[in-house]
CSV table of all heavy atoms in Angstrom, one decimal:
chain,number,residue,atom,x,y,z
A,33,ALA,N,-19.9,-10.5,4.2
A,33,ALA,CA,-21.4,-10.4,4.3
A,33,ALA,C,-21.9,-9.5,3.2
A,33,ALA,O,-23.1,-9.6,2.8
A,33,ALA,CB,-21.8,-10.0,5.7
A,34,ASP,N,-21.1,-8.5,2.8
A,34,ASP,CA,-21.7,-7.4,1.9
A,34,ASP,C,-20.7,-6.9,0.9
A,34,ASP,O,-20.8,-5.7,0.5
A,34,ASP,CB,-22.2,-6.3,2.8
A,34,ASP,CG,-21.1,-5.6,3.6
A,34,ASP,OD1,-20.0,-6.2,3.7
A,34,ASP,OD2,-21.4,-4.5,4.2
A,35,ARG,N,-19.8,-7.8,0.5
A,35,ARG,CA,-18.7,-7.3,-0.4
A,35,ARG,C,-19.3,-6.7,-1.7
A,35,ARG,O,-18.8,-5.6,-2.1
A,35,ARG,CB,-17.8,-8.5,-0.8
A,35,ARG,CG,-16.6,-8.1,-1.6
A,35,ARG,CD,-15.6,-9.3,-1.8
A,35,ARG,NE,-15.0,-9.6,-0.6
A,35,ARG,CZ,-15.2,-10.7,0.2
A,35,ARG,NH1,-16.2,-11.5,-0.2
A,35,ARG,NH2,-14.6,-10.9,1.3
A,36,ASP,N,-20.2,-7.3,-2.3
A,36,ASP,CA,-20.8,-6.8,-3.6
A,36,ASP,C,-21.4,-5.4,-3.4
A,36,ASP,O,-21.2,-4.5,-4.2
A,36,ASP,CB,-21.8,-7.7,-4.2
A,36,ASP,CG,-21.1,-9.0,-4.8
A,36,ASP,OD1,-19.9,-9.0,-4.9
A,36,ASP,OD2,-21.9,-10.0,-5.0
A,37,ALA,N,-22.1,-5.2,-2.3
A,37,ALA,CA,-22.7,-3.9,-2.0
A,37,ALA,C,-21.6,-2.8,-1.8
A,37,ALA,O,-21.8,-1.7,-2.3
A,37,ALA,CB,-23.6,-4.0,-0.8
A,38,VAL,N,-20.6,-3.2,-1.0
A,38,VAL,CA,-19.5,-2.2,-0.8
A,38,VAL,C,-18.9,-1.8,-2.1
A,38,VAL,O,-18.7,-0.6,-2.5
A,38,VAL,CB,-18.4,-2.8,0.2
A,38,VAL,CG1,-17.2,-1.9,0.2
A,38,VAL,CG2,-19.0,-3.0,1.6
A,39,ILE,N,-18.6,-2.8,-3.0
A,39,ILE,CA,-17.9,-2.5,-4.2
A,39,ILE,C,-18.8,-1.7,-5.1
A,39,ILE,O,-18.3,-0.8,-5.8
A,39,ILE,CB,-17.5,-3.9,-4.9
A,39,ILE,CG1,-16.3,-4.5,-4.1
A,39,ILE,CG2,-17.0,-3.6,-6.3
A,39,ILE,CD1,-15.9,-5.9,-4.5
A,40,ALA,N,-20.1,-2.0,-5.1
A,40,ALA,CA,-21.0,-1.2,-6.0
A,40,ALA,C,-21.1,0.2,-5.5
A,40,ALA,O,-21.5,1.1,-6.3
A,40,ALA,CB,-22.4,-1.9,-5.9
A,41,SER,N,-20.8,0.5,-4.3
A,41,SER,CA,-20.9,1.9,-3.8
A,41,SER,C,-19.6,2.8,-4.2
A,41,SER,O,-19.7,4.0,-4.0
A,41,SER,CB,-21.0,1.9,-2.3
A,41,SER,OG,-19.7,1.6,-1.7
A,42,LEU,N,-18.6,2.1,-4.7
A,42,LEU,CA,-17.3,2.9,-4.8
A,42,LEU,C,-17.3,3.9,-6.0
A,42,LEU,O,-17.0,5.0,-5.8
A,42,LEU,CB,-16.2,1.9,-4.9
A,42,LEU,CG,-16.0,0.9,-3.7
A,42,LEU,CD1,-14.8,0.0,-3.9
A,42,LEU,CD2,-15.9,1.7,-2.4
A,43,VAL,N,-17.6,3.4,-7.2
A,43,VAL,CA,-17.5,4.3,-8.3
A,43,VAL,C,-18.5,5.4,-8.2
A,43,VAL,O,-18.1,6.6,-8.5
A,43,VAL,CB,-17.7,3.5,-9.7
A,43,VAL,CG1,-17.8,4.4,-10.8
A,43,VAL,CG2,-16.5,2.5,-9.8
A,44,PRO,N,-19.7,5.2,-7.7
A,44,PRO,CA,-20.6,6.4,-7.5
A,44,PRO,C,-20.1,7.4,-6.5
A,44,PRO,O,-20.4,8.6,-6.6
A,44,PRO,CB,-21.9,5.7,-7.0
A,44,PRO,CG,-21.9,4.3,-7.5
A,44,PRO,CD,-20.4,3.9,-7.5
A,45,ALA,N,-19.2,6.9,-5.6
A,45,ALA,CA,-18.6,7.9,-4.6
A,45,ALA,C,-17.3,8.5,-5.2
A,45,ALA,O,-16.7,9.4,-4.5
A,45,ALA,CB,-18.3,7.1,-3.3
A,46,GLY,N,-16.9,8.1,-6.4
A,46,GLY,CA,-15.7,8.7,-7.0
A,46,GLY,C,-14.5,7.9,-6.8
A,46,GLY,O,-13.4,8.3,-7.3
A,47,VAL,N,-14.6,6.8,-6.1
A,47,VAL,CA,-13.4,5.9,-6.0
A,47,VAL,C,-13.3,5.0,-7.3
A,47,VAL,O,-13.9,4.0,-7.4
A,47,VAL,CB,-13.5,5.0,-4.7
A,47,VAL,CG1,-12.2,4.2,-4.6
A,47,VAL,CG2,-13.7,5.9,-3.5
A,48,ALA,N,-12.5,5.5,-8.2
A,48,ALA,CA,-12.6,5.0,-9.6
A,48,ALA,C,-11.6,3.9,-9.8
A,48,ALA,O,-11.6,3.2,-10.9
A,48,ALA,CB,-12.4,6.1,-10.6
A,49,ARG,N,-10.6,3.8,-8.9
A,49,ARG,CA,-9.6,2.7,-9.1
A,49,ARG,C,-9.2,2.2,-7.7
A,49,ARG,O,-9.0,3.1,-6.8
A,49,ARG,CB,-8.4,3.1,-9.9
A,49,ARG,CG,-8.6,3.0,-11.4
A,49,ARG,CD,-7.4,3.2,-12.2
A,49,ARG,NE,-7.8,2.9,-13.6
A,49,ARG,CZ,-7.2,3.5,-14.7
A,49,ARG,NH1,-6.2,4.3,-14.5
A,49,ARG,NH2,-7.7,3.2,-15.9
A,50,VAL,N,-9.0,0.9,-7.5
A,50,VAL,CA,-8.6,0.3,-6.3
A,50,VAL,C,-7.6,-0.8,-6.6
A,50,VAL,O,-7.8,-1.5,-7.5
A,50,VAL,CB,-9.8,-0.3,-5.6
A,50,VAL,CG1,-9.4,-1.1,-4.3
A,50,VAL,CG2,-10.9,0.7,-5.2
A,51,ILE,N,-6.6,-0.9,-5.7
A,51,ILE,CA,-5.7,-2.0,-5.8
A,51,ILE,C,-6.0,-2.9,-4.6
A,51,ILE,O,-5.9,-2.5,-3.4
A,51,ILE,CB,-4.2,-1.6,-5.8
A,51,ILE,CG1,-3.9,-0.8,-7.1
A,51,ILE,CG2,-3.3,-2.9,-5.8
A,51,ILE,CD1,-2.5,-0.3,-7.2
A,52,ASP,N,-6.4,-4.1,-4.9
A,52,ASP,CA,-6.6,-5.1,-3.8
A,52,ASP,C,-5.3,-5.8,-3.6
A,52,ASP,O,-4.7,-6.4,-4.5
A,52,ASP,CB,-7.7,-6.1,-4.2
A,52,ASP,CG,-8.2,-6.9,-2.9
A,52,ASP,OD1,-8.8,-6.2,-2.1
A,52,ASP,OD2,-8.0,-8.1,-2.9
Side-chain angles (χ1 to χ4, degrees):
D34 62 349
R35 183 173 293 105
D36 287 345
V38 170
I39 291 173
S41 75
L42 300 182
V43 173
V47 183
R49 280 188 172 151
V50 176
I51 296 177
D52 195 66

